Amino acid sequence: MQHVDLDITKHTFVLKVNGRLLNLELDPRTSLLDALREHLHLTGTKKGCDHGQCGACTVLINGRRINSCLTLAIMHEGDEIVTIEGLGSPQALHPLQAAFIDRDGFQCGYCTSGQICSAVGMLAEVKAGWPSHATADVAAPQVELTGAEIRERMSGNICRCAAYPNIVAAIRDVAEGVRK
Amino acid sequence: MRPFTYERATDLQAAVAAVARGGAKFISGGTNLLDLMKLEIERPTHLVDISRLPLKNTDDLPDGGLRIGAQAANSDVAGDLRLRTRYPVLSQALVAGASGQLRNKASIGGNLLQRTRCPYFYDTAADCNKRDPGSGCAAVGGINRVHAILGASDACIATHPSDMAVAMAVLEARIELLGPNQASRNIPIGDFYRLPGETPHIETVLGPNEMITGVLLPPPPQGRQVYRKVRDRASYAFALISVAAIVATEGGTITSARVAFGGVAHKPWRSLDAEAALAGRPATITTFRAAAEAAMAQAVGRGHNDFKIELAKRTLCRTLAQAAQVG
């Protein structure tokens, strides 16, 4: 295939990641995922499929979970970006991080950052009363977070080790306040 | 991914002017476009970022309807209590599609314009008239289990992937467009999409310099609204068949019905034949089955997808029974 010969100017911009303002100079093609991993060296966010199908690259933008592989870094100037590194630290784990350890919610661990970021976003969506495909009545003002609801709402995160029962248990612990 | 230049549009008119440049495309959520750009199926040389334009709100209309901004996230619309109570079929369709992460990013305008998931469209080594006009259709003689059964042509048997658009079809939504020189128009969703014919690469009536600015929903019609989706996995998969239905009954008789299918054609498929077979008839399985036969009278299988004709009929019957609260 003939590639179009374009003079691509790099863009200089600032991203706010885990509360820190970070300077970047990037080709506009750079995905947010590649900016985080390759340029900011925040390698907690994982690249699985790079096509939005596996969820390993899930991060939070302004509190909402998204696939960082399917967006351009330059589109997120001014946004509050939170990665797994911003949720907790080994000394002070986020409740979901602690619950995943308690419940053994992983085997190889590759999907775990994405699972945890996704679960943080998902619990906020439940708190906001958003329905899911597992919700019998979408008009109901509140959601009862059953196992079926957790599985449906987490379906954008694949675990090839199939730790699903323990992932569901970990999320349920946090949702029910077992882990605070 | 091919190189491209990038700009962020500051207002609507500037965005429409910027996309007039050859090779330019709008980007909003990017969840479909960037996926296709990575595979070099989409090859824009310039991207106009419209994601920050003030088109994110859902507003009440004087006639009792709603106007959904084209830049609203799918999840915002699905979660809006006005939609959930007055247009539940649209909320149900939105949460039946994609994943939580994608719904947070994907815009309403982008959902309408998303491309088919035909595997041959994605396989750049295969012939595809939609991706490479004139090259042929590998799906016609290929593995066509997920392909269209209505309105297809020998040039293309791809289906439209959106769940949302199927619900919008029964709600008789109108697509609001903005062109150069403030030229605004809105057209019924039924007239927005094109059948493949000999030009499957032209999917809608959207002009080259036009932008979707919103979706207008008329006041909700009488009746119970139901969206039902049948797919290979319980979650996060495209529809084999889906049905959106709105059915009003009075004393066991159907007073009005609207029906549309997803997963069957190059566009959301409203079936006026099925609706005519329902209106004024008793809300029974016999009536539902007659409507299903009417809806699929022109259906053509291509081999692997023959099962979808019967599946569509049964899915319609089940959806109508639920909407009419019988059976």
Side-chain angles (χ1 to χ4, degrees):
Chain A
M1 283 189 204
Q2 184 70 42
H3 280 245
V4 183
D5 190 24
L6 278 176
D7 180 24
I8 299 298
T9 316
K10 288 192 175 182
H11 290 250
T12 303
F13 59 101
V14 177
L15 287 184
K16 188 173 183 188
V17 185
N18 301 329
R20 292 171 58 212
L21 294 171
L22 302 163
N23 295 303
L24 287 158
E25 189 184 348
L26 294 177
D27 182 316
R29 284 176 290 183
T30 314
S31 68
L32 178 59
L33 173 61
D34 285 344
L36 291 170
R37 287 183 56 84
E38 308 299 332
H39 298 273
L40 299 174
H41 310 295
L42 291 165
T43 54
T45 306
K46 302 303 184 198
K47 182 181 281 193
C49 68
D50 209 25
H51 285 280
Q53 296 173 6
C54 76
C57 68
T58 304
V59 300
L60 298 160
I61 305 279
N62 304 326
R64 293 192 175 188
R65 54 179 174 159
I66 65 144
N67 302 107
S68 62
C69 73
L70 282 188
T71 190
L72 300 172
I74 195 167
M75 295 177 77
H76 293 285
E77 223 178 341
D79 287 338
E80 298 275 347
I81 302 162
V82 173
T83 68
I84 191 73
E85 290 92 341
L87 282 181
S89 67
Q91 293 74 37
L93 295 173
H94 184 279
L96 273 160
Q97 290 173 315
F100 268 64
I101 293 169
D102 280 356
R103 288 290 193 166
D104 203 14
F106 46 82
Q107 185 171 300
C108 81
Y110 198 79
C111 73
T112 311
S113 305
Q115 297 279 1
I116 289 174
C117 286
S118 183
V120 170
M122 183 275 279
L123 291 176
E125 292 163 10
V126 169
K127 207 171 170 186
W130 285 5
S132 84
H133 183 63
T135 311
D137 177 9
V138 294
Q142 284 184 334
V143 179
E144 190 197 344
L145 195 62
T146 60
E149 282 278 5
I150 294 173
R151 282 190 289 274
E152 164 58 30
R153 289 167 187 269
M154 292 296 292
S155 71
N157 292 84
I158 309 292
C159 172
R160 276 294 168 250
C161 305
Y164 297 115
N166 299 359
I167 292 169
V168 172
I171 294 170
R172 196 195 283 266
D173 281 354
V174 174
E176 291 173 356
V178 176
R179 265 279 176 191
K180 284 182 185 163
Chain B
M1 196 186 294
R2 304 280 181 102
F4 57 83
T5 49
Y6 169 90
E7 72 177 287
R8 190 177 296 149
T10 47
D11 64 61
L12 271 63
Q13 279 303 319
V16 172
V19 89
R21 174 173 159 182
K25 266 195 178 289
F26 290 129
I27 185 166
S28 176
T31 54
N32 189 217
L33 180 60
L34 288 169
D35 187 27
L36 294 168
M37 284 169 64
K38 289 181 186 193
L39 298 166
E40 300 194 353
I41 294 166
E42 294 275 13
R43 300 182 293 268
T45 54
H46 184 63
L47 286 183
V48 181
D49 179 357
I50 54 172
S51 64
R52 297 186 189 216
L53 294 180
L55 296 170
K56 289 184 190 290
N57 294 340
T58 296
D59 299 312
D60 292 295
L61 293 175
D63 68 356
L66 288 176
R67 177 184 179 275
I68 301 169
Q71 295 306 320
N74 283 209
S75 53
D76 274 322
V77 177
D80 189 310
L81 207 49
R82 291 168 295 180
L83 272 292
R84 286 154 58 194
T85 52
R86 288 157 57 198
Y87 304 92
V89 69
L90 185 49
S91 240
Q92 291 167 25
L94 280 163
V95 296
S99 67
Q101 290 96 316
L102 290 169
R103 290 192 294 269
N104 279 339
K105 201 78 177 74
S107 69
I108 294 297
N111 186 323
L112 288 169
L113 293 179
Q114 66 179 306
R115 310 296 304 275
T116 186
R117 272 23 176 234
C118 171
Y120 298 103
F121 174 71
Y122 268 78
D123 176 2
T124 50
D127 291 336
C128 174
N129 288 320
K130 189 182 280 297
R131 172 168 36 73
D132 184 12
S135 63
C137 174
V140 168
I143 296 171
N144 48 42
R145 181 173 176 274
V146 302
H147 289 80
I149 51 175
L150 286 164
S153 70
D154 286 338
C156 182
I157 57 172
T159 59
H160 194 266
S162 174
D163 292 294
M164 178 193 79
V166 180
M168 286 181 177
V170 288
L171 292 170
E172 296 185 344
R174 299 179 74 91
I175 314 300
E176 185 190 76
L177 306 172
L178 178 71
N181 307 316
Q182 319 275 349
S184 178
R185 61 174 179 147
N186 64 75
I187 50 177
I189 190 167
D191 298 336
F192 181 68
Y193 293 105
R194 294 164 49 110
L195 287 176
E198 294 303 310
T199 54
H201 57 293
I202 307 170
E203 296 170 348
T204 68
V205 299
L206 190 68
N209 303 341
E210 278 186 310
M211 176 169 63
I212 299 177
T213 50
V215 174
L216 307 171
L217 297 180
Q222 290 287 315
R224 264 173 66 90
Q225 305 177 15
V226 177
Y227 189 74
R228 188 173 192 89
K229 180 174 181 179
V230 181
R231 46 185 158 175
D232 284 326
R233 293 193 301 243
S235 183
Y236 198 16
F238 290 94
L240 288 168
I241 297 290
S242 71
V243 172
I246 305 177
V247 180
T249 56
E250 209 177 290
T253 298
I254 299 165
T255 51
S256 69
R258 293 189 199 171
V259 166
F261 292 88
V264 301
H266 201 249
K267 62 178 196 175
W269 191 266
R270 177 110 181 246
S271 179
L272 299 178
D273 293 335
E275 294 174 13
L278 292 164
R281 303 236 159 66
T284 62
I285 186 64
T286 310
T287 301
F288 303 155
R289 188 69 201 186
E293 296 297 338
M296 292 296 139
Q298 308 296 320
V300 178
R302 298 274 176 166
H304 301 103
N305 67 351
D306 292 349
F307 75 99
K308 288 176 79 171
I309 299 172
E310 179 60 23
L311 183 61
K313 292 177 185 174
R314 294 183 190 184
T315 308
L316 178 65
C317 290
R318 184 69 192 85
T319 312
L320 290 171
Q322 192 182 340
Q325 297 180 283
V326 295

